[in-house]
């Protein structure tokens, strides 16, 4: 007797009642032995077959031990199936893995703030093999992810691990966790920017975001996820729960927004309807000459500027001269106290100017004004704060000279004294800006601003947690006060970073993705 047949004979001596479903009678290669079993696996690389038997562990043996007919059967059954009987992957197939990922990059020792730590961006969904209807799969996945958090407490937090979520942080979290899709967690911006606004007569689909107004009807005050069949899930009345789309939910319904469109293509990570095509991934050393150039304001403005130099640094994206009016974003950078002077070129090596100037692919106009170092009339010392009226004049002049700039996508950032200036200018002239990024700054005590001055302006502040020059408490208190006034502000404390931390911010691609996704309301 052949060795292979002998081995199979020994295996068959362990015969027991086989599974009845998909049962097959297998025959040995020499035709002398048979046994009943259910094919469970075939590894083409090793040639090993696995058959399931009742009462025993899996039976494994080489494919060559079977008859030619059975070998053909095994190979045929192992091919990818496309029939209706094929079992599709579960919509929660990778939730266990996602649950193992950190919800935030903020150390737990720094979670003790009013809103807790900011959420980390989760991986994009990679559509598994075997999905017949990607659109339905994604919509069902959103609902399944939302239901994971039933009974989670209602709290003003950004991540579940901090203790709970409020309405718009819940909807933002579900899409981030399940799809790797980010959109604003602030209720006002979410209601205007997340995905596409549906027409009143469009049929609602699972996963759509529904928005309710305040009792007075003067603003968006609540968001929910539609589940289908007039059922919704939201964070309200103390916890996350499934509810009927009825009563005040329907009476105060404002509009719906769709993230998962009727297409086979998964949505992009940035689903803001107002998002430009601008994107930017900086490198620490881009190489090449710094292309920032010195520009001057118009002649009639030169004599009117008191504290700001009429000359400034500027950089323009490729083919800017041929761009259509209102199509290119603008980013304004305010330097720290070390940049004061009468020569804008002295600021060219500052982190923001260096990064922008050495990257020809920066997709926006960038300008860097300079604060003069001489005292103003009636003052005895050079200014240690930006002159807001001068900055307003300079911006108006730039917008007039360069009509290609999109006035709904003007962004402001600054470091140290420029961080103070960013807060102060935005509070005084909020109407100019789509979003701001203040770094290592704080409130200007000479011109204090109410948190309400910022309204719904998107703000992402940064501060080194080891900064001994400007205390991080400045940023912490400002952000918390704005949040208390229902503003759209967030703060990232950079671990072990001292005062000179702006390079960490300006080298972070997520900063630019967030910034360029914003549009003035």
């Amino acid at each position: 007797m052949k060795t292979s047949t002998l081995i199979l004979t020994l295996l068959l001596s362990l015969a027991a009642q086989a599974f009845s479903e998909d049962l097959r009678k297998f025959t040995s290669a020499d035709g002398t032995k048979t046994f009943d079993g259910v094919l469970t696996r075939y590894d083409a690389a090793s040639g090993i077959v696995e058959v399931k038997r009742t009462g025993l562990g899996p039976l494994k043996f080489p494919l060559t031990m079977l008859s030619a007919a059975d070998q053909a059967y095994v190979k045929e059954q192992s091919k990818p199936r496309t029939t209706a009987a094929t079992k599709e992957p579960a919509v929660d197939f990778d939730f266990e893995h996602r649950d193992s990922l950190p919800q935030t990059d903020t150390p737990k020792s720094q979670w003790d703030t009013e809103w807790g730590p900011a959420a980390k961006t989760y991986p994009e969904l990679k559509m598994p093999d075997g999905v017949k209807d990607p659109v339905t799969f994604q919509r069902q996945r959103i609902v399944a992810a939302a239901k994971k958090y039933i009974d989670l407490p209602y709290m003003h937090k950004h991540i579940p691990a901090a203790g709970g979520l409020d309405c718009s942080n819940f909807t933002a979290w579900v899409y981030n966790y399940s799809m790797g899709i980010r959109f604003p967690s602030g209720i006002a911006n979410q209601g205007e920017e997340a995905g596409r606004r549906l027409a009143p007569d469009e049929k609602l689909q699972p996963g759509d975001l529904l928005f309710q107004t305040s009792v007075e009807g003067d603003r968006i005050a609540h968001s929910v996820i539609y589940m289908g069949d007039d059922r919704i899930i939201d964070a309200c009345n103390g916890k996350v729960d499934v509810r009927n789309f009825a009563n005040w939910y329907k009476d105060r319904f404002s509009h719906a927004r769709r993230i998962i469109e009727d297409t086979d293509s998964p949505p992009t990570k940035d689903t803001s309807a107002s998002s430009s095509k601008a994107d930017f991934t900086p490198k620490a050393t881009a190489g090449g000459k710094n292309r920032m150039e010195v520009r001057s304001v118009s002649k009639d403005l030169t004599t009117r500027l008191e504290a700001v130099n009429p000359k400034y640094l500027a950089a323009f994206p490729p083919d800017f001269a041929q761009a259509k009016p209102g199509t290119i974003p603008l980013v304004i950078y305010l330097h720290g106290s070390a940049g004061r002077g009468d020569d804008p070129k002295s600021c060219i090596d500052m982190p923001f100017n260096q990064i922008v100037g050495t990257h020809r692919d920066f997709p926006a106009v960038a300008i860097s004004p300079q604060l003069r170092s001489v005292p103003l009339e009636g003052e005895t010392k050079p200014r240690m704060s930006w002159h807001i009226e001068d900055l307003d004049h300079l911006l108006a002049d730039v917008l007039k000279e360069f009509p290609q700039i999109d006035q709904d996508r003007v962004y402001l950032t600054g470091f140290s004294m420029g961080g103070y200036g960013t807060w102060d200018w935005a509070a005084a002239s909020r109407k100019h800006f789509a979003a701001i990024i203040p770094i290592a700054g704080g409130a200007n005590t000479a011109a204090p601003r109410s948190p309400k001055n910022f309204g719904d302006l998107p703000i992402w502040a940064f501060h080194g947690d080891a900064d001994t020059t400007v205390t991080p408490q400045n940023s912490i208190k400002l952000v918390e006060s704005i949040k208390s006034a229902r503003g759209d502000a967030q703060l990232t404390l950079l671990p072990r970073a001292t005062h000179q931390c702006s390079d960490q911010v300006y080298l972070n691609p997520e900063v630019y993705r967030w910034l360029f996704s914003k549009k003035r309301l």
Side-chain angles (χ1 to χ4, degrees), residues 87-98:
K87 185 176 180 180
E88 288 196 45
V91 295
D92 61 353
F93 73 98
D94 64 343
F95 281 3
E96 184 175 351
H97 167 66
R98 289 175 180 259

Side-chain angles (χ1 to χ4, degrees), residues 56-110:
L56 298 174
L59 192 63
K60 299 181 181 180
F61 51 87
L63 177 65
T64 55
M65 295 175 66
L66 293 175
S67 67
D70 285 337
Q71 290 186 37
Y73 168 79
V74 169
K75 292 178 179 178
E76 180 64 27
Q77 293 298 310
S78 301
K79 291 180 180 178
R81 302 294 187 87
T82 58
T83 64
T86 302
K87 185 176 180 180
E88 288 196 45
V91 295
D92 61 353
F93 73 98
D94 64 343
F95 281 3
E96 184 175 351
H97 167 66
R98 289 175 180 259
D99 287 339
S100 70
L101 301 177
Q103 296 183 6
T104 181
D105 286 329
T106 304
K108 198 160 188 177
S109 60
Q110 299 173 14

Side-chain angles (χ1 to χ4, degrees), residues 150-407:
I150 288 176
D151 291 330
L152 182 74
Y154 179 97
M155 296 180 68
H156 292 305
K157 302 293 182 183
H158 295 299
I159 62 173
L165 295 168
D166 62 16
C167 64
S168 56
N169 274 296
F170 170 67
T171 51
W173 171 261
V174 167
Y175 269 89
N176 179 19
Y177 168 85
S178 63
M179 304 290 290
I181 293 174
R182 299 299 297 267
F183 50 71
S185 58
I187 185 64
N189 287 329
Q190 188 177 114
E192 293 300 323
E193 298 180 21
R196 175 179 65 86
R197 181 166 178 151
L198 300 185
D201 59 348
E202 285 191 74
K203 183 180 179 181
L204 296 176
Q205 297 291 346
D208 288 347
L209 304 182
L210 313 186
F211 295 90
Q212 284 73 34
T213 67
S214 62
V215 175
E216 297 78 14
D218 59 348
R219 59 184 173 84
I220 300 299
H222 192 67
S223 60
V224 310
I225 295 175
Y226 186 69
M227 300 175 65
D229 298 325
D230 274 345
R231 301 281 278 173
I232 58 173
I233 184 167
D234 70 337
C236 189
N237 296 329
K239 65 177 183 178
V240 174
D241 208 349
V242 176
R243 314 174 205 274
N244 292 322
F245 182 43
N247 302 320
W248 73 271
Y249 287 105
K250 186 164 285 187
D251 294 340
R252 285 161 46 189
F253 173 67
S254 169
H255 63 280
R257 303 193 73 91
R258 178 162 297 162
I259 314 298
I260 310 301
E261 292 285 2
D262 296 322
T263 172
D264 287 351
S265 301
T268 59
K269 292 183 73 173
D270 181 2
T271 66
S272 300
S274 61
S275 173
S276 74
K277 295 181 180 179
D279 197 6
F280 179 56
T281 302
K283 299 179 180 65
T285 54
K289 182 180 178 181
N290 192 318
R291 63 192 176 89
M292 294 201 87
E293 58 188 84
V294 176
R295 290 275 182 158
S296 298
V297 298
S298 58
K299 290 183 179 181
D300 63 329
L301 182 58
T302 300
T303 56
R304 293 166 53 198
L305 295 180
E306 298 182 50
V308 173
N309 191 338
K311 295 181 179 181
Y312 59 90
L313 291 175
F316 303 90
D319 301 322
F320 176 72
Q322 289 76 42
K324 295 179 180 179
T327 58
I328 307 297
L330 168 66
V331 182
I332 305 169
Y333 168 72
L334 303 182
H335 62 68
S337 60
R340 293 174 301 164
D342 296 309
D343 181 9
K345 288 184 178 179
S346 65
C347 300
I348 203 165
D349 290 328
M350 291 182 172
F352 177 84
N353 294 335
Q354 177 69 16
I355 291 167
V356 170
T358 55
H359 286 75
R360 291 188 57 80
D361 59 341
F362 190 71
V365 175
I367 68 169
S368 175
Q370 184 180 36
L371 190 68
R372 286 173 168 164
S373 59
V374 295
L376 299 184
E377 185 177 350
E379 298 181 2
T380 58
K381 296 181 179 179
R383 288 184 66 90
M384 285 295 292
S385 62
W386 283 89
H387 194 281
I388 303 306
E389 186 176 353
D390 277 6
L391 290 172
D392 281 339
H393 289 320
L394 185 143
L395 175 57
D397 191 80
V398 168
L399 295 177
K400 182 178 179 180
E401 182 177 358
F402 303 111
Q404 299 96 324
I405 292 174
D406 182 350
Q407 297 190 26

